[in-house]
Amino acid sequence: MILLTDIGKSHGTRAVLTGITARFPRQSLTSIIGPNGAGKSTLLMLIARLAEPGSGRITLGGADIARISRAEYARRVATLRQFPAIELRLTVEELVAFGRFPHNRGRPTAEDRRATDEAIAFLSLDTIRKARLDELSGGQRQMAFLAMTIAQQTDCLLLDEPLNNLDMRHALRIMQALRSLCDDLGRTVVAVIHDINFAANHSDQIIALKDGRLHSSGTVDQVVTEAGLRDLYGLDFHILPRPHGRLCDYFTPKGEAG
Amino acid sequence: MDRPVAPAAGPGAGNDCRPWRRRGMGRALPGALFAALCLASLMVGAGRMELAQLTTFSGEAWLTLTASRLPRLAAVVLTGAGLAVCGAVLQQILRNRFVEPATTGGLEAAKLGILVALTLLPGAGQGVRMALAMAFCLAASLIFAVITARLRATVLVPVAGLMYGSVLGALAEFYAYSRNFLQGMQGWMLGDFSKVVQGSYEVVWLVLPVVAATYVFARRFTLIGMGAEVAASLGLGYRAMVVLGLVLVSATVAATVITVGAIPFVGLVVPNLVSLWRGDDLTRTLPMIAAGGAMLLLICDLFGRLIIWPYEVPVGLTGGGVGGLMFLFLILWGRR
């Protein structure tokens, strides 16, 4: 479990995050939502240890993450940044194999090859495993990066807008893969998600940020309410119950649709 | 270095449309070419080398071979391999395909270092010159890495590097001028293998352990090329690795500039060609980059020795010409 206690972070004099206290339970999928500039990515970067919090404490399984060595942390927490600017000419297979670095420190073993194959199979990327990244579409690249993160075989995965720029099919495939990571493999997944409907229908828990502060958090039922979302995004929401979830309609403001 | 494809890799795995990926031919051909080039390099020269004499392991031909031709071959191969590997490492560290020691100020800084050693410690040996050249090169590379970390546009990096190099070069020239040393400096302005003889070139063997060390860390250098954040999230100490990479680059640059002088473009052209051909996974491509650099420089050196035989054109000139043309080709056709 990841526990955040009173986290603050500022860039210069501007406070980006203030007093964030939250918990990310084990083996669950937590979505971080909120408007642009709410501090979602910054929060994820703090958990990933790619930035240092200005104040507060983050613990992983009870231990302060600042005290865990970087090499050890990479075996427990995997991070996928938004738009990884990797311009290397690598094949999907080669890229995914780099996810094993925390375990083999550059000397791949048979187990690493097996983990690489598993991650590729998990996202059904077998047909493009020999293709070069620069030959792939944006969606395929994103899948390849996710496969690299999965090959890292960490208990915890942090994903910054994994659905960004994907078509509906790829977005759904990634979301289903994240769900399966939680349900079938017992991983803890934390993802910044912009699409409220993906967040509402696939998460166990949602954390909503606004202006660098915790707006609301809890189960989907607790956070995804018409009043709550209206306050969070400043938009009128119409939440339509569906047999297997719900649909948050914000496309047509209330009244206009009739 | 091809890894075997797992048999259960699925239907698409075997459909490799690139013929060069098939093993066997891929390695025998460059190997034979490399051997032929080495042999040619041994046979060419101003002096006549009687092959029959070689069997006696003594006499003039044997002396020519061991004191001049073999050292020259070793220097060419090591310099070519070393500079190409340098280029590949720098390109990963600076995340830019257009950098190499000549476009990051490294060569000029090494020259400045040698100059300082020669004027301040005139009695000092090659070791001191080597150390100072390396220290200057490392300092200049570190400064350049810090400067370019702020440059967003990739095209600007080599441009800034050329300017940076010119400033360092001007500094060196002014320093040489003020110490009345301008003529002595011409020696390493243009790379030249003609002065390589037994007893004067041995520093260049330092390139061998440096290339070996680079190969040991090849996977890490590829990771560095993915950027600080990806490297950090995979548990790699980014800064330490960047510094180590620059130390290795500086050692090669210093060793080659001291023995043969500045040779531009090898570090730029070879890694780019290999990257276009076989990708950027250095664990796989570094041996090809090293071999490619050695072969390119062997060809340039042979060319320089034959074109106005029995005289020589310095390799810095032929290498610069051939490398420059190939680089132009890369820009025009390679970057689709």
Side-chain angles (χ1 to χ4, degrees):
Chain A
M1 185 178 72
I2 301 167
L3 202 65
L4 276 58
T5 317
D6 201 22
I7 294 296
K9 170 82 182 169
S10 38
H11 289 323
T13 53
R14 191 172 59 90
V16 185
L17 292 171
T18 319
I20 307 275
T21 296
R23 53 196 292 273
F24 301 89
R26 274 178 65 82
Q27 304 183 2
S28 68
L29 200 169
T30 306
S31 294
I32 303 177
I33 64 167
N36 288 334
K40 305 182 294 293
S41 294
T42 308
L43 186 68
L44 206 70
M45 289 308 101
L46 294 182
I47 304 173
R49 278 188 62 183
L50 293 177
E52 301 256 326
S55 60
R57 221 164 88 95
I58 303 174
T59 61
L60 173 69
D64 192 331
I65 62 167
R67 292 176 187 278
I68 304 174
S69 77
R70 189 169 281 297
E72 164 71 12
Y73 204 65
R75 288 190 284 271
R76 298 173 67 180
V77 177
T79 309
L80 177 59
R81 286 268 353 225
Q82 195 180 345
F83 311 122
I86 297 178
E87 282 160 27
L88 300 182
R89 297 189 181 102
L90 296 174
T91 65
V92 170
E93 193 176 45
E94 285 166 351
L95 178 80
V96 177
F98 272 102
R100 299 300 301 164
F101 184 83
H103 302 277
N104 62 38
R105 304 299 290 174
R107 283 176 197 77
T109 63
E111 197 203 323
D112 292 315
R113 277 186 279 279
R114 194 167 56 243
T116 304
D117 287 342
E118 275 173 17
I120 289 172
F122 185 79
L123 292 179
S124 321
L125 299 179
D126 287 307
T127 50
I128 57 166
R129 67 182 290 153
K130 296 274 177 193
R132 276 198 199 163
L133 289 179
D134 48 353
E135 297 164 350
L136 299 178
S137 71
Q140 289 172 319
R141 278 168 68 99
Q142 186 75 346
M143 297 290 275
F145 289 129
L146 184 62
M148 167 163 124
T149 314
I150 290 172
Q152 217 172 324
Q153 291 190 334
T154 52
D155 282 338
C156 184
L157 287 94
L158 309 174
L159 310 158
D160 194 359
E161 297 193 31
L163 310 182
N164 210 339
N165 288 326
L166 296 186
D167 63 18
M168 287 160 280
R169 187 166 145 268
H170 278 104
L172 186 62
R173 266 175 73 190
I174 286 199
M175 217 55 214
Q176 285 168 338
L178 298 186
R179 205 53 264 176
S180 163
L181 280 172
C182 274
D183 300 340
D184 306 331
L185 302 175
R187 312 283 180 80
T188 307
V189 179
V190 180
V192 173
I193 305 272
H194 255 303
D195 188 320
I196 184 68
N197 284 305
F198 272 118
N201 287 299
H202 295 270
S203 315
D204 297 309
Q205 208 210 188
I206 292 184
I207 285 179
L209 299 184
K210 189 181 182 184
D211 298 331
R213 293 171 188 278
L214 190 70
H215 178 271
S216 50
S217 69
T219 62
V220 175
D221 288 331
Q222 287 167 334
V223 177
V224 181
T225 61
E226 289 183 0
L229 292 183
R230 186 186 305 121
D231 187 49
L232 180 63
Y233 290 104
L235 277 177
D236 279 334
F237 276 84
H238 199 73
I239 296 180
L240 310 162
R242 286 280 181 268
H244 302 291
R246 73 203 72 207
L247 197 62
C248 308
D249 178 16
Y250 55 91
F251 303 105
T252 46
K254 265 182 201 169
E256 281 181 25
Chain B
M1 288 292 135
D2 275 354
R3 261 164 283 141
V5 176
N15 301 340
D16 204 326
C17 51
R18 280 166 264 209
W20 56 75
R21 286 278 170 89
R22 280 177 211 128
R23 265 151 279 151
M25 270 299 280
R27 242 174 278 169
L29 205 63
L33 185 61
F34 182 67
L37 284 171
C38 288
L39 202 64
S41 173
L42 288 178
M43 301 311 296
V44 171
R48 178 175 289 275
M49 198 166 72
E50 296 291 344
L51 283 181
Q53 273 189 32
L54 287 180
T55 50
T56 62
F57 300 106
S58 59
E60 207 171 314
W62 182 249
L63 187 69
T64 309
L65 183 70
T66 54
S68 165
R69 301 282 170 85
L70 276 175
R72 182 170 191 150
L73 174 64
V76 173
V77 168
L78 286 168
T79 305
L83 287 179
V85 167
C86 264
V89 171
L90 273 178
Q91 283 156 26
Q92 297 294 320
I93 288 176
L94 298 174
R95 303 187 72 193
N96 191 303
R97 294 201 183 281
F98 296 122
V99 297
E100 67 132 24
T103 59
T104 56
L107 281 181
E108 308 293 335
K111 284 183 202 169
L112 189 60
I114 301 173
L115 207 57
V116 169
L118 282 177
T119 48
L120 292 187
L121 308 156
Q126 218 171 22
V128 176
R129 267 183 281 159
M130 170 71 203
L132 266 180
M134 193 176 150
F136 271 67
C137 184
L138 180 62
S141 307
L142 282 171
I143 293 169
F144 188 68
V146 172
I147 295 173
T148 51
R150 289 160 204 282
L151 280 181
R152 286 271 164 255
T154 43
V155 246
L156 284 182
V157 173
V159 173
L162 284 171
M163 280 156 50
Y164 182 61
S166 304
V167 171
L168 288 173
L171 220 66
E173 215 157 312
F174 180 74
Y175 184 78
Y177 173 75
S178 67
R179 304 243 163 184
N180 249 329
F181 212 76
L182 214 47
Q183 271 196 320
M185 211 178 125
Q186 305 300 331
W188 353 278
M189 291 303 272
L190 264 186
D192 186 0
F193 286 107
S194 63
K195 281 170 295 193
V196 169
V197 284
Q198 197 178 19
S200 78
Y201 84 108
E202 279 75 6
V203 173
V204 85
W205 281 100
L206 190 72
V207 169
L208 197 65
V210 169
V211 168
T214 311
Y215 185 66
V216 168
F217 292 113
R219 202 168 289 269
R220 284 161 208 244
F221 285 127
T222 316
L223 254 182
I224 290 294
M226 297 188 191
E229 282 182 340
V230 176
S233 59
L234 286 170
L236 182 71
Y238 182 78
R239 280 190 187 169
M241 211 55 221
V242 165
V243 171
L244 175 67
L246 293 180
V247 167
L248 293 175
V249 167
S250 304
T252 303
V253 170
T256 56
V257 170
I258 279 189
T259 42
V260 297
I263 300 174
F265 284 115
V266 175
L268 197 65
V269 170
V270 176
N272 271 292
L273 281 177
V274 172
S275 163
L276 275 175
W277 180 41
R278 298 297 293 266
D280 283 327
D281 191 353
L282 286 181
T283 31
R284 208 160 42 75
T285 59
L286 211 58
M288 301 175 215
I289 291 172
M295 288 201 278
L296 177 63
L297 213 52
L298 275 170
I299 293 171
C300 292
D301 183 51
L302 274 172
F303 193 63
R305 285 152 85 179
L306 289 172
I307 192 167
I308 50 168
W309 189 89
Y311 305 103
E312 276 194 36
V313 177
V315 75
L317 211 63
T318 52
V322 173
L325 277 177
M326 285 168 87
F327 183 53
L328 208 62
F329 171 83
L330 273 178
I331 292 179
L332 293 178
W333 280 277
R335 309 208 32 106
R336 280 163 294 175

